[in-house]
Amino acid sequence: MTVPQIAAPGAQFPSGFTWGTATSAHQVEGGNWNNDWWEWEHRPGTPCFEPSGDACDHFHRYPHDIAMLASLGFDNYRFSVEWSRVEPEEGEFSLNALDHYRRMVESCRDNGITPVVTLHHFTTPRWVVKSGGWLSETTADLFARYCQRVASHFGDQVGRWCTINEPNVVSTIGHMLGAFPPGKTDRALRAKCNAVFVLAHQKARQAIKGISSAPLGITLAMQEFLIDASENEYSLASAKRDSAWAGLEDPFFEVARGDDFFGVQTYTRQYFGVGGRIKPSPETRVTMLGYEFCPESLEGCIRRAWEQTGSVPILVTENGIATTQDSERIEYVHGALKGVLRCLSDGIDVRGYTYWSLLDNFEWIFGYEPTFGLVGVNRKTQQRVPKPSASWLGQVARANALLPVGHQ
C-alpha cells in the first residue's frame, strides 16, 4: 500500500488518498437465494420489511455501473463476492461464479478503478449455517478455504482485500438481539461468534497472503460513544461494561494489529448513561433510519480505531446517510470529510474515504425504503439516475480536496 504524504491542515487531502464507493453482493445483485439472508427474508415472523428479489440487477449490469462510477471521478470500488454462489455446496466450487467475479475485477481495471474485494458481507451459504454457522470453529476453516480459492482465481488484480465486513454486526444483531439471521438472543453467543470471526480472519489472512501481495484488512461497524453530560456519576469505564457496548469492538481491534489497514465504518453516535444507551430526543435531527444526524462521529471513530489498533493505517470503508434530501447527503459527507482532514492534520494515517453506497439498494431488514445511494435506481426499469451528491463527491475526488457544499 502506498503511504500518502500527510497534508498540512486545510481543504487538500494528501497525495495518494483514495476515493471510492461501495456495495455488497446481496444488496445489489439480485437472486442470491442460496444464503441465510434470503431464507431470513422469507421466513414468517422475522422483522424483514420485504425480500431482496432482483435487487438492482448488478449481477448483470455491473459493467455499466463500474463505468458510471469511473465517469463520476472515483478511483476505487469496494464490492463483495457472494460465497453461496462461489461454493453453492460444501467443496463444490463454481467456475462460472469465480469467472463472473474475476470479470468484475477486470472491468474495474479496464475503467481505471482499483477493485477492493470483500469476501464476506453479512451473507453465509445455507450449507454453512446447517453445519453450525459462525458458532462453529469449523466455519473459520471453511471460510479460509473459500478465500484461498477466490484469491487464487483473481491473481494479482485485486487492489485491496477486506476479509469480513462488520463481523460485530453479525454477532450482535444476529446472535444477541435476534434481528438478523440466525435470530438468536443470547449474549453469550455473541462472544462465541466473535471468537469464530476472529479465527476466520486470521486464517483467511494467512491464506490470502500466501497468494496475493495486496493490502488486507477487516472492517468494523463503529459508532462514536459519548457519555451524557448530565450523567456526572457515570464513567467511561462503566459505559464500556454496558451490554450494548461491551464486546462490540475490542476483539477485532486486537486481531487487526496484524493487518495492513483497518476499515472504519461509521454513520452516527450513541450516548450512554447510568441506564445504558440513551435514545435521541424528539428534537434531535435524525436520518431515515432514526440515527442521529452526526457527520462528526466519523472523526471520533477514526481516532479511537487509530489508538486501539496501535496505529494501524485507517481506511474509511463505509460512511454515508439514508435520506430523501440529496442536499442533506452532501451536507453530511462534507461534515464527515472535515473530520477526516482534522485527523490527517494531527498525524493520523488515514488513506482513503469510501461512501456507502453507490446505489440505492436493499437495506437488509428495512428493505428498499432507506436511500443511501449516490445513484438512484428505478426498481421497475432498473434505470440508474446519478444524484447531485454523486457529481459533487466525484469532483471532490478529482480535486483531492474538500470543495464547498454548493460546488457542483
Side-chain angles (χ1 to χ4, degrees):
M1 182 185 293
T2 302
V3 179
Q5 300 172 353
I6 301 301
Q12 194 71 37
F13 288 84
S15 174
F17 194 86
T18 65
W19 299 92
T21 68
T23 62
S24 86
H26 193 76
Q27 292 177 271
V28 295
E29 284 184 346
N32 278 327
W33 61 270
N34 197 27
N35 64 45
D36 57 344
W37 259 95
W38 185 277
E39 190 276 332
W40 185 249
E41 295 158 25
H42 294 84
R43 186 194 303 180
T46 71
C48 293
F49 182 75
E50 60 186 326
S52 55
D54 290 332
C56 304
D57 194 30
H58 186 64
F59 191 84
H60 299 103
R61 298 171 189 263
Y62 73 85
H64 169 270
D65 292 339
I66 292 171
M68 175 179 60
L69 185 153
S71 70
L72 288 168
F74 297 96
D75 61 48
N76 71 88
Y77 177 40
R78 178 178 171 241
F79 63 93
S80 73
V81 173
E82 175 59 37
W83 185 1
S84 68
R85 288 186 188 267
V86 169
E87 192 178 6
E89 294 292 344
E90 183 174 359
E92 296 183 19
F93 289 91
S94 167
L95 185 59
N96 286 346
L98 286 164
D99 283 347
H100 167 82
Y101 288 112
R102 187 171 61 186
R103 286 192 295 271
M104 288 188 69
V105 170
E106 292 168 349
S107 181
C108 286
R109 292 296 186 185
D110 290 345
N111 283 277
I113 295 293
T114 298
V116 181
V117 174
T118 301
L119 290 156
H120 185 275
H121 196 126
F122 288 179
T123 58
T124 301
R126 296 194 193 205
W127 63 266
V128 174
V129 173
K130 289 179 181 178
S131 67
W134 292 103
L135 297 176
S136 169
E137 289 190 3
T138 302
T139 299
D141 294 308
L142 296 172
F143 180 67
R145 182 182 65 180
Y146 147 73
C147 291
Q148 183 176 42
R149 189 63 179 266
V150 172
S152 297
H153 205 77
F154 290 3
D156 60 357
Q157 293 299 301
V158 173
R160 296 191 191 106
W161 297 99
C162 300
T163 55
I164 305 167
N165 177 80
E166 299 184 343
N168 55 339
V169 168
V170 178
S171 64
T172 299
I173 302 182
H175 293 78
M176 189 178 84
L177 301 179
F180 279 17
K184 304 295 185 180
T185 54
D186 185 337
R187 191 177 304 165
L189 293 182
R190 177 172 72 166
K192 187 174 182 179
C193 183
N194 280 345
V196 174
F197 269 128
V198 166
L199 184 62
H201 174 67
Q202 291 171 322
K203 288 177 177 288
R205 179 173 61 199
Q206 182 178 7
I208 295 166
K209 285 294 188 179
I211 299 166
S212 171
S213 61
L216 177 148
I218 196 169
T219 79
L220 201 66
M222 298 182 66
Q223 297 180 28
E224 186 178 18
F225 294 124
L226 300 171
I227 306 304
D228 185 80
S230 65
E231 304 283 356
N232 53 18
E233 297 181 359
Y234 192 58
S235 69
L236 185 63
S238 60
K240 290 194 72 171
R241 291 192 295 269
D242 186 279
S243 62
W245 187 343
L248 192 60
E249 298 176 341
D250 291 351
F252 304 104
F253 286 144
E254 184 63 30
V255 74
R257 290 173 181 263
D259 292 345
D260 302 303
F261 66 86
F262 183 80
V264 171
Q265 307 198 164
T266 301
Y267 295 89
T268 190
R269 65 185 175 191
Q270 291 283 356
Y271 278 98
F272 285 81
V274 291
R277 186 172 68 90
I278 301 172
K279 294 182 179 180
S281 69
E283 297 77 27
T284 301
R285 183 181 180 186
V286 297
T287 72
M288 291 181 75
L289 290 180
Y291 301 161
E292 181 181 357
F293 181 95
C294 187
E296 58 268 27
S297 62
L298 178 60
E299 178 182 355
C301 291
I302 290 172
R303 293 182 184 276
R304 187 166 79 252
W306 176 251
E307 176 184 348
Q308 294 298 317
T309 60
S311 305
V312 172
I314 302 297
L315 282 168
V316 179
T317 43
E318 282 187 26
N319 179 246
I321 179 176
T323 179
T324 58
Q325 303 298 317
D326 197 56
S327 60
E328 190 172 47
R329 178 172 292 105
I330 296 173
E331 177 190 357
Y332 180 93
V333 175
H334 188 274
L337 291 175
K338 286 171 65 177
V340 173
L341 285 168
R342 287 190 291 268
C343 290
L344 287 164
S345 70
D346 285 344
I348 297 176
D349 188 359
V350 187
R351 301 194 176 183
Y353 177 87
T354 305
Y355 179 83
W356 180 271
S357 177
L358 172 62
L359 305 171
D360 285 340
N361 59 27
F362 177 73
E363 195 53 45
W364 307 110
I365 62 173
F366 302 102
Y368 289 97
E369 184 175 355
T371 47
F372 278 93
L374 294 171
V375 177
V377 178
N378 183 321
R379 296 199 59 248
K380 292 183 179 180
T381 65
Q382 296 291 1
Q383 180 184 7
R384 274 64 165 150
V385 181
K387 303 171 186 177
S389 57
S391 175
W392 175 79
L393 188 53
Q395 290 184 59
V396 169
R398 284 195 178 98
N400 201 33
L402 185 54
L403 303 178
V405 169
H407 186 96
Q408 294 175 31

Coordinates of all heavy atoms in Angstrom, one line a residue, residues 22-23 66 98 108 112 126 161 187 194 200 222 270 286-287 358 381 386:
A22 N -19.1 2.0 -2.4 CA -19.2 0.5 -2.1 C -20.6 0.0 -2.3 O -21.6 0.7 -2.3 CB -18.8 0.3 -0.6
T23 N -20.6 -1.3 -2.5 CA -21.9 -2.1 -2.5 C -21.6 -3.4 -1.8 O -20.4 -3.8 -1.5 CB -22.4 -2.4 -3.9 OG1 -21.5 -3.2 -4.6 CG2 -22.7 -1.1 -4.7
I66 N -19.9 0.1 -13.1 CA -18.5 0.4 -12.9 C -18.0 1.6 -13.8 O -17.3 2.5 -13.4 CB -17.6 -0.8 -13.1 CG1 -17.9 -1.8 -11.9 CG2 -16.1 -0.5 -13.1 CD1 -17.3 -3.2 -12.1
L98 N -16.8 -17.9 -10.1 CA -15.5 -17.4 -10.0 C -15.1 -16.5 -11.2 O -14.5 -15.4 -11.0 CB -14.4 -18.5 -9.8 CG -14.5 -19.2 -8.4 CD1 -13.7 -20.5 -8.4 CD2 -13.9 -18.3 -7.3
C108 N -13.2 -3.3 -13.5 CA -12.7 -2.2 -12.7 C -11.4 -1.8 -13.3 O -11.2 -0.6 -13.5 CB -12.5 -2.6 -11.2 SG -14.0 -2.8 -10.2
G112 N -10.0 2.0 -15.1 CA -9.1 2.8 -14.2 C -9.5 2.8 -12.8 O -9.1 3.7 -12.0
R126 N -26.2 -21.4 2.9 CA -27.2 -22.2 3.7 C -26.5 -23.5 4.3 O -26.7 -23.9 5.4 CB -28.4 -22.6 2.9 CG -29.3 -21.4 2.5 CD -30.6 -21.9 2.0 NE -31.3 -20.8 1.3 CZ -32.7 -20.8 1.2 NH1 -33.4 -21.7 1.8 NH2 -33.3 -19.8 0.6
W161 N -7.9 -6.2 -0.1 CA -8.8 -7.3 0.4 C -9.5 -6.8 1.7 O -8.7 -6.4 2.6 CB -8.1 -8.6 0.6 CG -7.5 -9.2 -0.6 CD1 -6.2 -9.1 -1.0 CD2 -8.1 -10.1 -1.6 NE1 -6.0 -9.9 -2.1 CE2 -7.1 -10.5 -2.5 CE3 -9.4 -10.5 -1.7 CZ2 -7.4 -11.3 -3.6 CZ3 -9.7 -11.4 -2.8 CH2 -8.7 -11.7 -3.7
R187 N -26.7 -13.4 24.8 CA -25.4 -12.6 24.9 C -24.2 -13.4 24.8 O -23.2 -13.0 24.2 CB -25.4 -11.7 26.1 CG -24.4 -10.7 26.2 CD -24.5 -9.8 27.4 NE -25.8 -9.2 27.5 CZ -26.3 -8.7 28.6 NH1 -25.6 -8.7 29.7 NH2 -27.5 -8.2 28.6
N194 N -18.0 -13.9 18.0 CA -16.9 -13.0 17.8 C -15.6 -13.8 17.7 O -14.7 -13.5 16.9 CB -16.8 -12.0 19.0 CG -17.7 -10.8 18.8 OD1 -18.2 -10.6 17.8 ND2 -17.9 -10.1 19.9
A200 N -11.5 -16.8 11.9 CA -11.7 -16.8 10.5 C -10.9 -15.8 9.8 O -10.3 -16.0 8.7 CB -13.2 -16.6 10.2
M222 N -18.7 0.9 13.6 CA -18.3 1.7 14.7 C -19.3 2.9 14.9 O -19.8 3.4 13.9 CB -16.9 2.3 14.6 CG -15.8 1.2 14.5 SD -14.1 1.9 14.4 CE -14.0 2.7 16.0
Q270 N -23.6 7.4 19.7 CA -24.6 6.9 20.7 C -24.2 7.5 22.1 O -23.0 7.6 22.4 CB -24.5 5.4 20.9 CG -25.1 4.6 19.7 CD -26.6 4.6 19.7 OE1 -27.2 5.1 20.6 NE2 -27.2 4.0 18.7
V286 N -32.6 13.5 12.9 CA -32.3 12.1 12.6 C -32.4 11.8 11.1 O -32.9 12.6 10.3 CB -33.2 11.2 13.4 CG1 -33.0 11.4 14.9 CG2 -34.7 11.4 13.0
T287 N -31.8 10.7 10.7 CA -31.9 10.2 9.3 C -33.1 9.3 9.1 O -33.9 9.1 10.1 CB -30.6 9.5 9.0 OG1 -30.6 8.2 9.6 CG2 -29.3 10.2 9.4
L358 N -22.9 3.2 -3.5 CA -23.0 3.6 -4.9 C -24.5 3.7 -5.3 O -24.9 4.7 -5.9 CB -22.3 2.7 -5.8 CG -22.5 2.9 -7.3 CD1 -21.9 4.2 -7.7 CD2 -21.8 1.8 -8.1
T381 N -37.6 -0.4 -13.8 CA -36.9 -0.3 -15.1 C -35.4 -0.6 -14.9 O -34.7 -0.8 -15.8 CB -37.1 1.0 -15.8 OG1 -36.5 2.0 -14.9 CG2 -38.5 1.3 -16.0
P386 N -27.9 9.3 -11.5 CA -27.0 9.9 -10.6 C -27.6 11.1 -9.9 O -28.2 11.9 -10.6 CB -25.7 10.2 -11.4 CG -25.8 9.3 -12.6 CD -27.3 9.1 -12.8

